[in-house]
Amino acid sequence: MNITVKFFATFRRGREKIVNIEVERGSTVKEVLDIVKIEVDEIAILLVNGRDGTIAQLLNDGDTLSLFPPVGGG
Amino acid sequence: MQGYNGKILRINLTTQSVKTEPLDLVQAQKFIGGRGLGSKILMDEIDANIDPLSPENKLIFVTGPLTGTATPTGGRYMVVTKSPLTGTVASSNSGGYWGAELKFAGYDAIILEGKADKPVYINIEDEKVEIKDASSLWGKVVSETTTELERIHGSKVRVSTIGPGGEKLSKMASIMNEKSRAAGRSGVGAVMGSKNLKAIVVRGSHKVEIANPEKLKEVFSRCLSQIKENGVTGQGLPAYGTAVLVNILNENGALPTNNFQTSLFEKADDISGETMAEKFLTKKEACFRCPIACGRVCDMDGVEVAGPEYETLWSFGSDCGVSDLGEIIKANNWCNELGIDTISVGATIAAAMELYQRGYIKKEDLGDGPELIWGNAEAVVEWTKRIGLAQGLGAKMAEGSYRLCEMFGAPELSMTVKKQELPAYDPRGIQGQGISYATSNRGGCHVRGYMISPEILGLPEKLDRFSLEGKSEWAKLFQDFTAGIDSVGLCLFTSFAMGADDYADLYNAVCGTEITGNDFVQAGERIWNIEKIFNLNAGIDSSQDTLPKRLLKDEIPEGPSKGWVTRLDILLPEYYIARGWDQLGIPTSTKLEELGIDSKLDSTKV
Ligand code: SF4
């Protein structure tokens, strides 16, 4: 299945802003993170289709993951 | 008592009298300083029903006990007055260096009364205070005024000034210090303009006395490590400023777009902090003693200017459908130069665009101005200028979005609370922010209880942004805590890394007191309650604790927050209970007694 991963702030260093990856059906967020080489503890905000996501969450075909490192408020 | 200078400067501009008075230290401790002390003074000294732009209104510049001390971000000051935009108490916070300099000059606050018969400015050098002619400065933009005053009084002075916006009494006028730091909201600059006061120049040579310097060093270094280690204050804000929020809010589907008609902006990335850092950022800037340095300096056609904050990227950007970051930087710079508030100005242009879209504003109303069409960046820059200079339709827009929409017969298109423009977070997708907006004592505002912190950023813990459970209690706590921070003299951004006990420890080290974190938050609650009493006495009752109809009735039409409205029907009654107020949102006598508040509710008003 196809998953879109969007990177923000410092996660864009050395990466594209957005990538599409093929993963096996039944993959979790964690498995996608391993592929894009982002450690769980680097992430401050993790959204799946714009909603709060979890590491163990099962993904569906066409899902979008948005990943943010610690960022500012204000 | 250390921390406080113990001295207030009272200047009557009508009679030109200048007096110093002792600070009432009992009141000062009860209301901390800054926003709290200023509100208490305003409450005691003016009738809440006066016209905000009349000589009867007072304009109070007030520091906190930590302003000017070796504490992280200890340079903030507040401008407190009755707002011409909202009719509520106004307290606008600013950073930079001016507030600390006022402390060094030996004062905790300046109370300005009356009205000068011609333009004047005030020059303060420690004990020497002069009221000087400002005829040659009147009409000048902020940078020119500041440079000219520095030329006259020396480059070491600090200048706080209004621009043409304040002179022309725009209800969105700000007061600017060090050229680009703004006491931005609620039209405080118009009150200064109404007094014919152009600027206040300060130079001080005293140090703020500290009760326990050893303890302060220890608490300071602890707080500093917390700030450095915290992801938001140690990495996020220094790297991207507040601008990084554009993409975050948009990914959540809560970035208001086209005057809140939707909440998803296709071109968000073009106006994001990431794009700003990549294409426009030249350097960072910090306020007095700030280890965070969230300020941005950007390139504007070869000139270095202050960069826009998140709220500004939103107001001139997605709220107007504009994706040209270079033009947003220009509009932001015009706001700084003309002394007008970026949030209110951008949001008012967005409202004007919707009035134009729906045919309320007609082509002939525009005069020779550019068309108010979504996405027209040139229009945003040009109308900003015309608002600041009160030209043509710009003069009507300078009254703010609510009055503009009312003039054109469509008040429901104004996205305001208590007539103040809402900022950059759609409360339909962030329920706790909705209750915080609706109950803010100065109208539409994000820094009166920044629920974005738990609901979006996950600090101090992540709350489900759609859930209603406990949100009213959270909002109350954030409101009270923030009132404390605004009063002590530190920047609100420290609260991402610091808790109530940290502020109490800093306060104790500086002032020699022994308050607890709970006392600190309770002082915040006391402040919140007197602000509310002022508003009730001014005739602004709880029927105004609400949101624009669009946010209560029209669901967000697309994106991750699709289908949501703000559930104020549930949140508001819970909020009043959390506050210990009655069902009509009036503080009960039990609550006021508990908080030791002697200010009276005007029984003819409530
Ligand atoms: S965090 Fe930003 S606004 Fe606050 S004091 Fe520091 S530089 Fe100024």
Side-chain angles (χ1 to χ4, degrees), chain B residues 73 76 181 285-287 290 292-295 491 493:
Chain B
T73 75
R76 314 288 304 190
R181 285 284 162 188
E285 222 168 42
C287 301
C290 176
I292 304 169
C294 76
C491 176
F493 291 170

Side-chain angles (χ1 to χ4, degrees), chain B residues 172 184 311-312 315-316 331-332 335-336 340-347:
Chain B
M172 307 189 283
E311 272 69 29
T312 314
S315 70
F316 292 124
N332 182 58
C335 286
N336 288 347
I340 43 179
D341 172 40
T342 62
I343 297 178
S344 286
V345 170

Side-chain angles (χ1 to χ4, degrees), chain A residues 8-9 11 23 36 40 57 60 63 67-68:
Chain A
F8 296 96
F11 284 160
V23 291
V36 299
V40 172
Q57 191 170 337
N60 294 311
D63 279 353
L67 303 174
F68 295 87

Side-chain angles (χ1 to χ4, degrees), chain B residues 451-463:
Chain B
M451 287 297 290
I452 303 309
S453 192
E455 294 187 281
I456 297 286
L457 302 174
L459 292 169
E461 61 183 89
K462 185 78 179 82
L463 302 180

Side-chain angles (χ1 to χ4, degrees), chain B residues 177-189:
Chain B
N177 56 287
E178 285 88 57
K179 295 180 184 167
S180 63
R181 285 284 162 188
R185 304 224 66 197
S186 312
V188 292

Side-chain angles (χ1 to χ4, degrees), chain B residues 370-390:
Chain B
E371 262 195 286
L372 286 161
I373 291 176
W374 301 114
N376 185 352
E378 184 214 338
V380 161
V381 177
E382 182 59 27
W383 285 108
T384 298
K385 234 188 288 180
R386 292 182 188 212
I387 288 172
L389 298 170

